[in-house]
Amino acid sequence: MSELLKVPTMAEFMAQGKQPEVLFWVGCAGSFDDRAKKITKAFVKLLNKANVEFAVLGTEESCTGDPAKRAGNEFLFQMQAVTNIEVLNAYEVKKIVTACPHCFNTIKNEYPELGGKYEVMHHTQFLKTLLDERRLAIEGGKFKGKRITFHDPCYLGRANNVYEAPRQLIQKLEAELVEMKNCKRNGLCCGAGGAQMFKDAEKGDKEINVERTEQALNIKPEIIAAGCPFCNTMMTDGVKAKEKEADVEVMDIAELIANAQDL
Amino acid sequence: MEYIYKILFAVILILGVGYFAKNVKKLVRNIKLGQDVDVSDNKSQRWKNMSMIALGQSKIVRRPISGVLHVIVYIGFIIINIEVLEIIIDGLVGTHRVGLKFLPTSVYGFLIGTFEILACLVFVSVIIFWIRRNIIKLARFWKSEMTSWPKNDGNFILYFEMVLMTLFLVMNATDVHFQTLNSGNIISQFISPWFSGLSEGTLHIIERGAWWIHIVGILTFLNYLYYSKHLHILLAFPNTYYGKLEPKGQINNLEAVTKEVQMMMDPNIDPFAAPAEEAGEEEIPAKFGASDVQDLNWVQLLNAYTCTECGRCTSECPANQTGKKLSPRKVMMDTRDRLEEVGKNIDANNGEFKDDGKQLLDDYITKEELWACTSCNACVEACPVSIDPLSIILEMRRYLVMEQSAAPVELNNMMTNIENNGAPWPYNQMDRLNWKNE
Ligand code: SF4
Ligand code: SF4
């Protein structure tokens, strides 16, 4: 790595008596999963580049409880939620950005009733505002003219009606945005949601991620763009299953933007 | 002689409407078996949804072919039913085409002419629907839950409509007086030559026959609704009104759990103290989640009665598309079937439900189906009448996990990890920021 990442924690801000502009909620995948950690770092590089005063909770962050809730364990979910909300409220957090649509959905929609009211943004929305405010410049670089398709994460798209921010960012790369047969509100799930990520699928005749990857491969993209660490894993596995790793890459939008500028 | 017909008509009408009313009462009672849920908020948004989605058919047209056909049948159905008003007055008072007494011939002709055109369009649309179901065999009409009654039901409705539209046109075509008026017989003038050569007396008999069968047919159809997916023509309205307003990704927080969690987390409450009296027994529900229809809320039960079995949900479901047993349509059909069974049980036992050793879980919906759901909301997005199959799936998962600890092993591991280290994988929370220096 060329330069060191600046990743201040809330505790550090607090010690200086300061408030960051935004809290970056890293999420479990973003913190622990090898593939997702790269997305986290790419996003942090962009935040550093745009001089965003952000902070993370670091070791004070804990699972939002999304997979527990979707698995039916409301107790565990609410325990997690209440614990997290206590920490967030103690730091007087107002605004949260996250690169995980599951964390995004849970904190944005399910925390308010339990006492956690924040402005929550998905990282593609946040990057889009940085772009609009001219705090971040996006250039195409090596992605100029590439065929890129965007896989809508269910928890960003259908669940929260965010379809445009990620697409506008891709178009900013001067790439050729191509749409799959099922996109936006008709997007097909990658197969990971609802706690499926953590278990084998029920008996069937196909894996969902393979089905979705085939839809993507049908339109011959060079890159499948994702906006969710779980979709990313599922689509990467799908591409491997179809033995297309040499032709198609699966990348998060944050990675695309960061890589385009050789960050 | 005249008055016998009038009495006969009145009796048929009262029987038809009366039996329907009886079933509606049953329907309302069954829906009320569900748990209470507060849906009194956002009235203006709800009215808007109802007028857009039910009245305006905004979601059905997302699939253009079936959408347009459906809109034709829908408009035709509503408008042609104005004619029923005339039929009822004629039948009760003994008049013939009472509309002609009140309206100028041209206006009456315009109305009937419109009905005739619509009847013709409806007829054609219904034929295309039938072809799609039975000749082209669209996949969503041939899934495993679409056998026996559901399959026949779909066709019966189409036959009903074909017969009713035919009777309406024949009735007009054989009405000598109406044909000589030559106003409004836009379609029937081409049908009346088929009956040429018949005496006026015979024509009158055919016309009367068509008239009677038409009204009896309509009343029969009305009563058929309760037993059919066709109930959606009524319930789509309340159902879209009560449909979910929150973002689709938002799952309700169980209030009873919130209370318990608050007690557990509140340092001021002594966890070993006897529970405060005023906490009230009824505040803690008998069980978490749903194993039977009575555990669901009444909007979910209304959903089940509203389902038109169109299968749009199932055809978009990623689990179903990849050969899993889960079908969101089946979830709705099972819920309705079980609710009907519970309702019949109550009827048979003087208004009390007697345990029949059955429940929605396992006897209708299996664990295998429930665990195959990715909570992707494709079914919710696809449903043209705002049904939320996902909410039922999640409510049943809650029962499995919180009441029975019956989650798949891998999910139990995931949950244990969250409990112990705050992540679904076995990593230490203290390592959460390690990525920074890797
Ligand atoms: S939410 Fe579940 S049932 Fe509905 S479409 Fe997605 S996987 Fe199928
Ligand atoms: S739930 Fe909705 S989409 Fe699914 S079959 Fe019923 S009416 Fe059709």
Side-chain angles (χ1 to χ4, degrees):
Chain A
M1 205 175 305
S2 47
E3 57 188 304
L4 218 55
L5 294 176
K6 279 181 281 173
V7 192
T9 61
M10 278 310 277
E12 289 160 17
F13 265 92
M14 182 92 138
Q16 297 169 21
K18 287 200 301 179
Q19 267 290 336
E21 178 185 342
V22 65
L23 172 90
F24 172 28
W25 183 276
V26 184
C28 299
S31 305
F32 293 122
D33 180 83
D34 284 334
R35 178 68 189 82
K37 281 192 266 188
K38 292 189 187 147
I39 303 170
T40 308
K41 286 187 205 169
F43 183 55
V44 167
K45 283 179 199 163
L46 293 172
L47 292 176
N48 285 166
K49 172 101 195 268
N51 288 319
V52 176
E53 289 233 306
F54 75 98
V56 297
L57 283 177
T59 55
E60 290 182 277
E61 188 186 282
S62 186
C63 174
T64 59
D66 158 85
K69 188 175 179 89
R70 268 85 198 151
N73 195 337
E74 184 73 9
F75 270 106
L76 182 52
F77 162 71
Q78 292 204 13
M79 295 285 285
Q80 288 299 116
V82 171
T83 315
N84 283 324
I85 290 169
E86 240 169 53
V87 174
L88 290 166
N89 287 354
Y91 284 124
E92 294 176 19
V93 170
K94 300 273 169 334
K95 188 168 173 182
I96 298 176
V97 62
T98 174
C100 172
H102 295 264
C103 299
F104 167 71
N105 176 69
T106 305
I107 302 175
K108 175 174 163 290
N109 296 323
E110 289 158 5
Y111 277 19
E113 241 177 62
L114 301 171
K117 300 189 176 70
Y118 322 101
E119 184 193 346
V120 190
M121 293 177 98
H122 185 244
H123 69 316
T124 56
Q125 293 175 307
F126 191 75
L127 290 171
K128 178 71 182 30
T129 39
L130 290 183
L131 180 79
D132 292 343
E133 290 164 3
R134 298 177 186 282
R135 295 169 68 187
L136 180 75
I138 295 183
E139 52 196 65
K142 59 183 164 195
F143 300 115
K144 221 179 203 168
K146 285 243 158 112
R147 265 175 90 82
I148 302 182
T149 188
F150 179 65
H151 163 75
D152 289 280
C154 300
Y155 275 86
L156 185 65
R158 262 191 304 273
N160 289 294
N161 289 320
V162 179
Y163 299 110
E164 289 315 316
R167 288 181 167 77
Q168 285 163 347
L169 292 173
I170 293 173
Q171 274 158 343
K172 271 283 159 195
L173 292 167
E174 294 169 73
E176 183 193 353
L177 176 65
V178 282
E179 296 290 357
M180 290 181 244
K181 182 180 108 202
N182 287 333
C183 64
K184 300 187 183 168
R185 71 176 177 221
N186 298 322
L188 180 69
C189 177
C190 70
Q196 296 293 341
M197 183 72 191
F198 308 98
K199 63 184 260 299
D200 284 329
E202 274 56 38
K203 205 164 72 48
D205 41 42
K206 203 178 199 175
E207 293 292 339
I208 295 174
N209 64 330
V210 173
E211 174 77 20
R212 182 54 166 171
T213 307
E214 284 172 2
Q215 283 195 353
L217 295 178
N218 275 342
I219 53 165
K220 308 213 169 340
E222 287 157 278
I223 291 161
I224 299 173
C228 168
F230 298 104
C231 298
N232 197 310
T233 303
M234 290 309 234
M235 299 304 282
T236 307
D237 289 349
V239 170
K240 274 188 205 140
K242 303 300 287 182
E243 297 179 349
K244 288 277 182 214
E245 305 102 295
D247 313 326
V248 187
E249 247 186 301
V250 181
M251 292 179 83
D252 191 89
I253 305 240
E255 293 179 302
L256 286 172
I257 300 173
N259 284 12
Q261 333 196 346
D262 285 321
L263 285 181
Chain B
M1 196 58 193
E2 264 297 300
Y3 72 95
I4 296 184
Y5 285 126
K6 282 195 236 174
I7 293 173
L8 183 65
F9 186 88
V11 170
I12 291 175
L13 190 66
I14 291 168
L15 281 180
V17 175
Y19 192 67
F20 177 67
K22 193 175 146 234
N23 275 336
V24 168
K25 259 176 82 182
K26 213 182 273 178
L27 182 82
V28 172
R29 181 208 58 196
N30 288 356
I31 290 173
K32 281 191 175 157
L33 291 175
Q35 302 290 314
D36 217 1
V37 53
D38 184 14
V39 275
S40 58
D41 57 334
N42 277 308
K43 291 211 167 55
S44 66
Q45 184 60 42
R46 292 183 182 280
W47 281 110
K48 208 172 127 204
N49 286 353
M50 184 174 93
S51 47
M52 292 292 291
I53 302 170
L55 200 65
Q57 307 263 294
S58 63
K59 280 185 87 181
I60 194 110
V61 292
R62 285 192 189 168
R63 294 202 183 180
I65 301 176
S66 57
V68 167
L69 293 172
H70 188 274
V71 170
I72 293 173
V73 175
Y74 162 75
I75 294 177
F77 182 83
I78 291 181
I79 297 187
I80 297 170
N81 268 326
I82 300 173
E83 167 71 8
V84 177
L85 197 68
E86 185 184 43
I87 295 184
I88 290 174
I89 298 173
D90 282 347
L92 289 175
V93 185
T95 44
H96 181 64
R97 293 194 183 265
V98 72
L100 275 170
K101 286 208 174 64
F102 298 105
L103 302 170
T105 311
S106 58
V107 176
Y108 184 79
F110 174 77
L111 281 177
I112 301 287
T114 313
F115 300 160
E116 286 201 351
I117 293 173
L118 282 170
C120 198
L121 286 173
V122 168
F123 192 86
V124 173
S125 307
V126 166
I127 299 266
I128 302 175
F129 274 146
W130 186 88
I131 292 173
R132 284 161 59 87
R133 261 176 202 268
N134 299 285
I135 312 270
I136 304 175
K137 299 201 177 191
L138 286 188
R140 65 186 154 107
F141 299 125
W142 291 82
K143 298 263 171 186
S144 58
E145 66 268 24
M146 295 307 284
T147 50
S148 59
W149 175 246
K151 174 166 168 259
N152 293 333
D153 182 22
N155 282 328
F156 288 165
I157 294 163
L158 298 177
Y159 300 143
F160 252 118
E161 309 225 12
M162 287 181 213
V163 170
L164 287 179
M165 293 306 119
T166 309
L167 287 167
F168 174 68
L169 290 170
V170 166
M171 177 180 102
N172 286 354
T174 52
D175 187 331
V176 181
H177 174 65
F178 176 67
Q179 289 298 327
T180 42
L181 271 183
N182 207 12
S183 170
N185 55 345
I186 300 183
I187 306 286
S188 58
Q189 59 178 305
F190 301 106
I191 302 175
S192 84
W194 302 352
F195 299 94
S196 65
L198 296 179
S199 72
E200 206 160 304
T202 321
L203 280 179
H204 182 68
I205 293 173
I206 297 177
E207 190 269 337
R208 285 291 83 196
W211 188 91
W212 277 99
I213 304 173
H214 182 67
I215 185 66
V216 171
I218 286 175
L219 288 171
T220 314
F221 200 32
L222 180 70
N223 280 288
Y224 180 78
L225 294 185
Y226 178 71
Y227 306 94
S228 160
K229 77 188 190 81
H230 215 53
L231 199 48
H232 78 276
I233 63 170
L234 302 175
L235 295 189
F237 293 89
N239 202 70
T240 47
Y241 180 87
Y242 292 118
K244 182 171 178 174
L245 299 178
E246 297 84 24
K248 288 194 192 62
Q250 179 175 340
I251 299 173
N252 69 320
N253 293 323
L254 278 187
E255 246 177 83
V257 172
T258 311
K259 286 198 192 102
E260 292 206 10
V261 170
Q262 268 167 359
M263 295 223 291
M264 275 154 76
M265 310 282 282
D266 190 343
N268 300 323
I269 293 179
D270 175 5
F272 301 108
E277 278 303 317
E278 67 269 29
E281 282 291 298
E282 72 266 83
E283 287 200 15
I284 306 294
K287 64 182 179 202
F288 294 113
S291 62
D292 209 346
V293 285
Q294 296 97 319
D295 308 326
L296 296 169
N297 69 46
W298 65 264
V299 174
Q300 292 170 315
L301 300 185
L302 172 66
N303 276 190
Y305 272 120
T306 309
C307 175
T308 114
E309 296 168 20
C310 68
R312 291 184 182 209
C313 53
T314 295
S315 73
E316 298 288 334
C317 173
N320 193 276
Q321 282 179 20
T322 52
K324 318 292 190 294
K325 279 218 180 94
L326 173 64
S327 159
R329 167 174 57 189
K330 178 175 172 292
V331 169
M332 300 319 299
M333 291 166 70
D334 284 343
T335 305
R336 176 173 177 172
D337 288 349
R338 173 59 184 161
L339 183 54
E340 272 296 292
E341 189 175 58
V342 169
K344 287 200 184 109
N345 179 313
I346 292 174
D347 290 334
N349 295 300
N350 303 321
E352 286 279 341
F353 176 71
K354 265 222 184 98
D355 189 11
D356 56 358
K358 285 210 241 169
Q359 55 175 7
L360 184 61
L361 180 68
D362 295 328
D363 295 307
Y364 286 83
I365 303 173
T366 60
K367 298 187 186 74
E368 181 180 344
E369 291 163 72
L370 295 172
W371 291 119
C373 174
T374 72
S375 72
C376 72
N377 266 305
C379 51
V380 184
E381 183 74 53
C383 181
V385 287
S386 307
I387 289 171
D388 184 352
L390 173 58
S391 71
I392 296 182
I393 294 171
L394 288 169
E395 212 55 65
M396 295 182 77
R397 281 187 178 184
R398 282 174 171 169
Y399 176 81
L400 285 174
V401 171
M402 292 193 282
E403 293 287 340
Q404 301 210 306
S405 308
V409 186
E410 304 131 293
L411 289 189
N412 277 332
N413 292 341
M414 175 271 286
M415 292 188 280
T416 313
N417 286 329
I418 294 181
E419 232 175 299
N420 296 339
N421 9 290
W425 300 288
Y427 296 111
N428 194 318
Q429 186 164 0
M430 285 305 127
D431 296 335
R432 249 188 131 91
L433 199 48
N434 290 4
W435 55 269
K436 175 180 149 185
N437 303 315
E438 279 170 11

